[in-house]
Amino acid sequence: MTAAQADLPIDRPKVADGAALWRLAKESGSLDLNSSYAYLLWCRDFAGTSVVARGDGGEPVGFVTGYLRPDRPGTLLVWQVAVDAAYRGRGLAARLLDALTARVAAERGLDAVETTITPGNTASERLFTSYAARHGARVERAVLFATDQFPDGPHDPEVLYRIAPLTGLSSPPADASSR
């Protein structure tokens, strides 16, 4: 990682970032592209469980979107991870994921991280297995959605990666349960 890469600011997305997140997802070549409306909503409604890395001009050059599962509020489901092609291969996705989980753990508490990965997506597999190793966690894998469950045509299965238990993350403030 270059010094400039390490210095990229990471913060919460704003609604104004929605178009850039949509573009990054579209240009990723591997993510299922949601509507531009979905990215705008994501930046409004899930900014607390998402992060962006900003380039020199303040524009998003990478992001991680996620949400806390309603039935497991200590579990962060990571929805999408994308990094602009010019910034790939330098650890930015790992830095984004670490920053997000540290913030969520400090603000709300965090026991586990989940994501889904399609078979053959080796970059995502490496990102999440290395995340588990850094945090002393196990990775459990199981098919969450099979190919035949997708109504819009052929789709690879989505394999759920559950990373738990997490260690070395901050605990939430004592009053976090009252929020």
Side-chain angles (χ1 to χ4, degrees):
M1 176 180 351
T2 67
Q5 180 101 8
D7 292 339
L8 290 176
I10 294 176
D11 63 9
R12 295 171 195 256
K14 301 174 180 101
V15 171
D17 296 327
L21 271 59
W22 179 83
R23 180 190 55 78
L24 287 168
K26 182 178 180 184
E27 293 173 357
S28 74
S30 61
L31 294 177
D32 285 339
L33 185 62
N34 298 293
S35 70
S36 57
Y37 175 69
Y39 292 92
L40 292 167
L41 281 175
W42 205 276
C43 290
R44 185 191 77 160
D45 294 342
F46 297 103
T49 52
S50 300
V51 290
V52 295
R54 298 190 184 281
D56 291 337
E59 75 287 353
V61 297
F63 72 84
V64 176
T65 55
Y67 62 88
L68 293 172
R69 288 189 48 194
D71 62 335
R72 288 185 170 180
T75 298
L76 176 70
L77 186 289
V78 174
W79 182 265
Q80 288 189 320
V81 178
V83 174
D84 185 276
Y87 293 83
R88 289 184 197 150
R90 299 183 227 165
L92 182 57
R95 192 167 158 245
L96 283 162
L97 186 57
D98 284 343
L100 174 60
T101 57
R103 188 183 70 206
V104 172
E107 292 176 357
R108 303 175 187 202
L110 191 60
D111 304 319
V113 170
E114 292 182 346
T115 195
T116 63
I117 302 173
T118 55
N121 185 340
T122 55
S124 288
E125 290 169 355
R126 280 194 303 261
L127 173 64
F128 286 95
T129 56
S130 67
Y131 174 85
R134 281 193 308 280
H135 295 283
R138 292 183 311 274
V139 181
E140 297 173 5
R141 296 169 186 87
V143 173
L144 181 63
F145 300 118
T147 299
D148 62 356
Q149 290 180 287
F150 291 91
D152 56 347
H155 192 292
D156 289 333
E158 290 286 346
V159 178
L160 178 69
Y161 281 55
R162 181 168 172 79
I163 301 167
L166 297 175
T167 59
L169 293 175
S170 300
S171 298
D175 67 344
S177 62
S178 64
R179 291 182 192 169

